[in-house]
Amino acid sequence: MRFLRRRRADADAAEAAEAGADGTSTGAAPLDTAPESGVTADARAKADEFWRRWEELLPEVAAALGEGAPQRFDHQLAEAVAGVHPDLTFSVEQGEEAVYALVISAQADPELRPYTDAWKAAAPEADALFEYHDSVPPVPDPTQVTVNLRDRRYALDEVRVFARVDEGEGLVDVAVYHPGFAGLESEARSALTFLPLDAALGERLAADRLGRVETAEAEPSGAVGLLEFRDLVRRLDDPNSSE
């Protein structure tokens, strides 16, 4: 397994203070702290170009989704997203109010936040067909989601999560496994580690309740699917919820 980062901001601050005291670095990074720098003119220009391109692609996207053939627009949409920033990821999911949701995610990277902020600020109003999100909301059934990463598609029903609850901290430490890890380089493997967690929990609950996150090279003993994992985290977040 490979340690990625602790996601909770207050824990990160404590670890940073410890690092300053002993001269070592934990490698941790806060999830929910906004970057100090604001949206740049470059980010706004790239966001505007994306939405111009989206308007051109939308008829084809709608037709392909209606025919159950999202692969018809995958490459073009991936290119448009990469034009905002090459490290952003995207997915087309079931919408909360619209039929579909286009989700662009910075994967909690503060360096990418100005680009998603600019993208969201320039987004058109949601309509009956599409709504737009700059962070991953929880989806009704994450096991039915397929994410796009580096021009390839990964089914989240293959994800397995080993969870260890830290009652004292109110956090869940996890090890995430996907059979697709084997063919991915380090950065893409990290993205595929966090995407399923955000799909299951939404980025906000993930920020509040996830502790250490690791990739697993093999499926850990006792690992569960995303729906069981979500139930566990929601019970921790709301002890009064029914089991």
Side-chain angles (χ1 to χ4, degrees):
M1 296 181 186
R2 188 172 64 85
F3 167 69
L4 293 176
R5 64 176 180 254
R6 178 174 289 275
R7 298 168 61 110
R8 195 176 184 184
D10 54 0
D12 290 330
E15 290 182 357
E18 292 174 2
D22 62 15
T24 62
S25 172
T26 64
L31 177 69
D32 54 354
T33 300
E36 293 181 0
S37 59
V39 174
T40 64
D42 177 64
R44 285 193 293 269
K46 289 179 176 179
D48 288 342
E49 175 58 23
F50 173 90
W51 291 115
R52 184 196 65 77
R53 181 63 175 141
W54 173 254
E55 187 175 359
E56 295 175 350
L57 289 174
L58 186 53
E60 181 178 349
V61 170
L65 289 171
E67 296 169 15
Q71 67 277 6
R72 294 209 322 242
F73 63 79
D74 273 353
H75 181 69
Q76 291 173 294
L77 187 52
E79 284 187 335
V81 172
V84 180
H85 195 286
D87 292 335
L88 295 176
T89 59
F90 78 94
S91 61
V92 176
E93 304 175 2
Q94 178 181 335
E96 297 175 358
E97 297 183 3
V99 178
Y100 302 109
L102 174 61
V103 180
I104 302 294
S105 176
Q107 289 301 288
D109 185 341
E111 296 296 323
L112 300 182
R113 181 64 181 272
Y115 294 92
T116 56
D117 284 351
W119 179 88
K120 179 61 174 174
E125 292 292 329
D127 55 27
L129 185 62
F130 263 101
E131 58 194 54
Y132 307 99
H133 300 281
D134 60 352
S135 63
V136 180
V139 298
D141 186 352
T143 65
Q144 296 182 4
V145 172
T146 298
V147 300
N148 299 273
L149 184 64
R150 301 293 194 268
D151 258 353
R152 295 188 178 182
R153 296 167 61 80
Y154 297 88
L156 299 194
D157 63 355
E158 297 183 81
V159 171
R160 297 294 178 269
V161 183
F162 176 79
R164 180 183 296 109
V165 176
D166 184 335
E167 298 282 359
E169 293 288 335
L171 299 174
V172 182
D173 297 334
V174 300
V176 179
Y177 171 76
H178 191 288
F181 283 163
L184 292 172
E185 75 279 9
S186 177
E187 288 186 5
R189 192 181 306 120
S190 175
L192 188 56
T193 297
F194 284 102
L195 275 167
L197 302 176
D198 290 332
L201 303 178
E203 288 191 30
R204 184 176 299 275
L205 183 58
D208 290 344
R209 293 302 178 185
L210 289 186
R212 295 188 180 273
V213 178
E214 300 175 343
T215 58
E217 296 179 358
E219 182 175 340
S221 175
V224 299
L226 289 174
L227 293 175
E228 293 173 85
F229 169 68
R230 178 165 65 187
D231 288 344
L232 181 154
V233 177
R234 285 179 172 174
R235 287 195 298 269
L236 178 65
D237 191 59
D238 181 6
N240 295 320
S241 65
S242 61
E243 301 188 14

